Amino acid sequence: MLKFISNKGGGESVDFETAILDGFAVDGGLYVPEELPEITLDQLKEWKGLGYVDLAFEILSLFIDRSIVSEEELKDILKTAYAPFEKEEIIPLYPLKTRKDTFIMELFYGPTISFKDVGLAFLVNLVNFFLERRKEHLSVIVATTGDTGPATAYFAAGKSNIDAWVLYPKGLITEEQERQMTTLQHANIHPVGVANCPDGGDDLDAVISKFYANKTFKEKLNLSSVNSINWGRVMMQTVHYFYGYLQVVDEVGEKVNMSVPSGGFGNLCAGSLARKMGLPIKYLVAANNKNACLDRIFSKGEFTKEAIHETASSAIDILIPFNFWRYLYFSIDKDAEKIKNWMDSFKETGNLKFDEETFETYKKGFLSNSATDVETLTLINEIYTSENYLLDPHGAVSLQATDVLKQQLGKEKLICLATAHPAKFPETIKKALITKELPTQATHQSIEIAKKRCEKVYLCDYDHLEEALMHAMETNWDLTKGA
């Protein structure tokens, strides 16, 4: 049976179910599989004609022991998870007309029209499956910079075994993203708008970490998370890399490049692990905005926390790419002691410079770039004007990086990940297109419906968040669980 361990080396190995329900490992590290499965070219050839859900079944089966989730149970979970998606293919790929062999992977056809639906559709349904079997209740807590919260809330809504607490930095996400959380009237969904967060969503992650460290509180509320700290998210996100690859290649074995708009490195971590498993990716591009946390890591070897900038691509306004530690663990031959020392050092100082050998090792196969808002908006306008195709600001960051890095990337086919629907960013789209009226491509029925619904939300100032949220969560638990 494949077991899971902390990338910091603490605690015992656990089974898949425990890793999923715990979220963080007992020592505060991130769960990783003891071994990554190896996928051969022959397997990829066999999978070439599979649809997304069938491909997901094959890949997830490499990580999930049949004694924990049976073949039939896994198929049922996948079928339920992806039933609400708009497109039959789940993830369409759009070939750009203005750039040869360049494809936009449209990851935004789930219910909350962002790529977070792709991972959370499966993960939340999987968590609920385990809870129903155990007859247990879980308090799920996540911090969001715009997309994780709505997806978590949607898939958890109405599930009697889950209370979902979704924290967001008030004023630092769009009203459209906010309303996707606050207009859900289900009793088990608890949006929390937090004002005055100096470091945006990273501040919320810090408070959540304190809750995990509070053993009494964590055990009373049966606390867990479905943020990308949860192995289930990263595991599920490996699938769309395999799917995109198999959709665009003429012959299995040829290499492709993939560009990912990224802040927290969860999506990119999945891509890096897919490559380590055997997917023929030449370069993964870490496409940053002005916050540049990953650009500093891959161009300078520096893991640093700097002042946050509000940008047009707000979902990747992140300072601490936490999943980088998961990727780094596999890049340095699973040396957990080094990971622990680096993580602890960064936590204490907020600054880390990797040694030259480590830097050269982990940056292999990676390129990076930081896009300005002007570049992002200009590219949205260019693509819309030239081919009547509308990128969201994060997809534009992804494509902008490849334009800058064109010579280094070479002539291989290129897949740029577009991680949200333009309808989530109407003011940014208006600014980019220099118009007061949104084109049809920048609207979506779900967004329009949410504008007309009542909102339900907890409001709190960051200075009081830890105490106030603990009180709210404990009060809700006592009232609803009959304590």
Side-chain angles (χ1 to χ4, degrees), residues 37-76:
E38 294 184 10
I39 293 173
T40 65
L41 290 182
D42 285 340
Q43 282 177 291
L44 287 175
K45 289 174 184 177
E46 290 175 7
W47 295 346
K48 181 110 171 58
L50 294 182
Y52 176 82
V53 172
D54 289 336
L55 178 63
F57 173 80
E58 296 295 335
I59 294 171
L60 299 186
S61 294
L62 302 175
F63 293 101
I64 305 173
D65 193 87
R66 290 281 185 248
S67 65
I68 294 175
V69 183
S70 72
E71 178 177 335
E72 198 59 39
E73 287 166 338
L74 180 56
K75 287 180 178 179
D76 285 345

Side-chain angles (χ1 to χ4, degrees), residues 111-114 146-147 149-151 153-154 175-184 424 446-447 450:
T112 73
I113 55 178
S114 93
D147 292 326
Y154 176 89
E175 181 183 353
E176 287 71 19
Q177 291 169 315
E178 185 173 8
R179 281 185 164 271
Q180 287 184 312
M181 296 177 276
T182 61
T183 57
L184 292 172
K424 285 194 162 191
S446 66
I447 296 291

Side-chain angles (χ1 to χ4, degrees), residues 177-223:
Q177 291 169 315
E178 185 173 8
R179 281 185 164 271
Q180 287 184 312
M181 296 177 276
T182 61
T183 57
L184 292 172
Q185 299 302 315
H186 302 77
N188 69 320
I189 303 301
H190 313 284
V192 183
V194 185
N196 301 315
C197 295
D199 290 333
D202 290 295
D203 289 325
L204 307 181
D205 284 327
V207 171
I208 291 173
S209 293
K210 289 182 180 179
F211 284 1
Y212 270 95
N214 185 331
K215 186 177 180 182
T216 302
F217 180 75
K218 181 181 183 296
E219 290 181 354
K220 176 182 177 180
L221 271 69
N222 203 10
L223 200 64

Side-chain angles (χ1 to χ4, degrees), residues 451-462:
K451 290 177 181 178
K452 302 171 186 176
R453 299 289 161 109
C454 289
E455 294 186 87
K456 181 189 75 170
V457 60
Y458 291 86
L459 297 175
C460 182
D461 191 271
Y462 176 69

Side-chain angles (χ1 to χ4, degrees), residues 294-306:
L294 291 168
D295 195 23
R296 288 190 294 272
I297 288 173
F298 285 106
S299 65
K300 301 177 182 179
E302 297 176 359
F303 196 117
T304 58
K305 181 180 179 180
E306 301 189 5

Side-chain angles (χ1 to χ4, degrees), residues 139-141 165 167 211 217 221 223 458 468-478:
S139 295
V140 167
I141 184 167
W165 296 82
L167 283 59
F211 284 1
F217 180 75
L221 271 69
L223 200 64
Y458 291 86
L469 183 56
M470 189 176 294
H471 175 264
M473 293 178 72
E474 285 190 312
T475 301
N476 175 76
W477 182 272
D478 291 342

